[in-house]
Amino acid sequence: MRFTSEQRLDDGVLEREFTLGEIPGILWTPASASASAPAPLILVGHPGGLHKMRPRLAARARRSGADGFAAATIELPGGGDRPRFAVAEQARADLRRALEAGEPVDEEIVDRLVLPLVEKAVPEWQTTLDALLSLPEIGGPVGYSGGVIAIGVRLAVVEPRISAAVLFAGSFVPRTLFEEARQVTIPLHVLLQWDDEGNDRQSALDLFDAFGSKEKTLHANMGGHTGVPEFAGDAAARFFTRHLS
């Protein structure tokens, strides 16, 4: 991991850009973090396009910093300036045509769009987690928040260092991930926008039902994809405080 820039924000949070091989990312650490008092870590997911998403990600990270957590994010494979996936680009075009025509979205399109991303993004998150936990000011436990829900599902299954997750039910999920969801056992807090125009509400409810976790909470709010109310974020923050502090 090579840090390429850093700045101390006005709330004391240290913001550092890094690269890890071909993976760019950002790490935010609270002023309280030190080798003698390492901060718990939240991995902050997003749908791709780190530069565009940065203001929103920074706001989430600074909220986490106020609660004593470090936060880190990385650019998704195929996002930002990273090389595109030809198969995913074609699937995205097919998805757009289906939605514009008012047609149901075929499962084969969802598989082509999401599965290659999951297969590459999850190992990259794990490699990033290895590097982050080697820093003296970062410690466990570890949480995962937001982003593409299919990535969160896979991470929750294969990465034992993740202790709890906040998932956003706002993206397509391949049917194979429903079976993986039954293997998830960590505490979950799932956000759902009830009127999300780009999300199949019943599919999101079915996925929530499939999760094997004994502790799982569905936080549903009226409104579209980008209308998540501030109090929903407050509830997610309290969830992490309970499980990562």
Side-chain angles (χ1 to χ4, degrees):
M1 175 177 281
R2 183 172 68 90
F3 290 106
T4 57
S5 72
E6 70 172 60
Q7 62 173 327
R8 182 73 65 177
L9 306 179
D10 56 15
D11 55 1
V13 169
L14 179 63
E15 179 183 78
R16 288 177 283 178
E17 296 183 2
F18 65 83
T19 58
L20 185 62
E22 64 178 21
I23 309 167
I26 308 172
L27 170 63
W28 295 269
T29 49
S32 59
S34 66
S36 60
L41 175 65
I42 297 175
L43 305 178
V44 183
H46 61 90
L50 181 54
H51 178 73
K52 180 180 68 175
M53 293 293 299
R54 184 168 182 158
R56 291 168 60 186
L57 295 171
R60 288 163 58 189
R62 294 176 77 169
R63 168 62 194 267
S64 297
D67 292 332
F69 303 123
T73 192
I74 56 175
E75 181 61 275
L76 287 181
D81 295 328
R82 301 190 66 184
R84 297 291 188 263
F85 292 158
V87 63
E89 291 296 301
Q90 183 59 54
R92 190 170 288 108
D94 294 341
L95 172 65
R96 191 178 300 113
R97 281 195 292 269
L99 293 175
E100 289 174 351
E103 300 172 352
V105 177
D106 189 84
E107 289 185 10
E108 184 264 345
I109 294 177
V110 174
D111 287 351
R112 286 191 287 119
L113 179 66
V114 179
L115 288 178
L117 177 63
V118 172
E119 295 296 337
K120 188 164 177 60
V122 168
E124 290 189 350
W125 267 121
Q126 291 180 294
T127 298
T128 303
L129 183 55
D130 290 340
L132 291 168
L133 291 179
S134 72
L135 299 173
E137 69 273 23
I138 305 296
V142 179
Y144 177 83
S145 174
V148 177
I149 194 170
I151 294 174
V153 171
R154 175 69 60 82
L155 271 172
V157 172
V158 304
E159 181 44 72
R161 292 172 292 185
I162 294 179
S163 302
V166 171
L167 303 177
F168 182 42
S171 54
F172 292 99
V173 180
R175 297 306 303 180
T176 56
L177 269 296
F178 280 73
E179 290 305 313
E180 293 187 32
R182 302 183 196 285
Q183 303 173 48
V184 176
T185 59
I186 62 173
L188 297 176
H189 184 93
V190 181
L191 298 174
L192 171 64
Q193 287 300 101
W194 201 251
D195 306 303
D196 189 340
E197 60 283 353
N199 187 38
D200 184 330
R201 182 195 304 159
Q202 189 57 53
S203 178
L205 294 173
D206 291 344
L207 179 64
F208 180 80
D209 187 56
F211 285 126
S213 303
K214 291 182 178 179
E215 181 187 338
K216 57 181 180 180
T217 300
L218 180 66
H219 193 124
N221 299 285
M222 304 303 292
H225 187 81
T226 60
V228 180
E230 185 175 346
F231 62 77
D234 294 340
R238 290 194 296 271
F239 170 82
F240 277 135
T241 297
R242 288 199 306 275
H243 292 286
L244 301 184
S245 295

